[in-house]
Amino acid sequence: MSSVPRPERPAGRFRRMLGRLSSSQEDLESEELREDADTAGCIRIGDCQDRQIVTVTGTLRTVTLRPRAGVPALEAELFDGSAALDVVWLGRRSIVGIEPGRRLIASGRISMSRGRRVLFNPKYELRPLGRE
């Protein structure tokens, strides 16, 4: 018997369908978000480094009002299927359209705070609701 490794073959249509049927709903949504980031030309959050200027896209999981140093701050968790990122707007109590489940594109400089990636006061663009 030869121990020559087999070359990787691309998965066929049946194998992809079987993989999708055996995947959880969360896995399928994560894969869709990763593909959306790639098609939008954005960097995946999981690939972002500290102090890097980035453009990322994803879905807002949570939106909370949490004061920072006595100043109101609107915080949201953005998830793109690879990792999560905290988006913080300082001095804001609310922003129309920023709500859980909403997709957006955000641009700014990544910083690390307590081991999490954070974008402070990013430029952002709300994505249309529903399917494009």
Side-chain angles (χ1 to χ4, degrees), residues 20-68:
R20 290 185 74 82
L21 290 174
S22 63
S23 297
S24 69
Q25 184 65 27
E26 185 176 325
D27 291 339
L28 294 174
E29 289 172 1
S30 293
E31 179 61 30
E32 181 181 325
L33 288 170
R34 285 190 296 271
E35 289 173 5
D36 186 40
D38 291 339
T39 58
C42 297
I43 297 173
R44 288 186 181 180
I45 294 171
D47 297 336
C48 296
Q49 302 296 320
D50 189 25
R51 308 297 301 154
Q52 180 181 11
I53 296 176
V54 298
T55 299
V56 294
T57 186
T59 300
L60 296 176
R61 284 182 164 174
T62 61
V63 178
T64 57
L65 176 62
R66 183 172 298 140
R68 286 181 173 250

Side-chain angles (χ1 to χ4, degrees), residues 29 32-33 36 57-64 75-79 97-105 126-132:
E29 289 172 1
E32 181 181 325
L33 288 170
D36 186 40
T57 186
T59 300
L60 296 176
R61 284 182 164 174
T62 61
V63 178
T64 57
E75 292 187 10
E77 182 183 67
L78 184 69
F79 181 70
I98 301 295
E99 56 197 25
R102 187 68 187 253
R103 288 187 176 192
L104 65 88
I105 296 174
L126 296 173
R127 304 288 300 274
L129 293 172
R131 295 275 179 200
E132 283 107 50

Side-chain angles (χ1 to χ4, degrees), residues 6 8 10 16 20 48 58 65 70 75-76 78 80 87 92 111:
R6 287 177 139 182
E8 285 292 320
R16 284 192 308 263
R20 290 185 74 82
C48 296
L65 176 62
E75 292 187 10
L78 184 69
D80 75 344
V87 182
R92 302 295 300 262
S111 64

Side-chain angles (χ1 to χ4, degrees), residues 115-128:
R116 291 184 56 93
R117 294 174 183 92
V118 182
L119 267 178
F120 286 100
N121 296 324
K123 295 179 188 175
Y124 67 95
E125 175 184 335
L126 296 173
R127 304 288 300 274

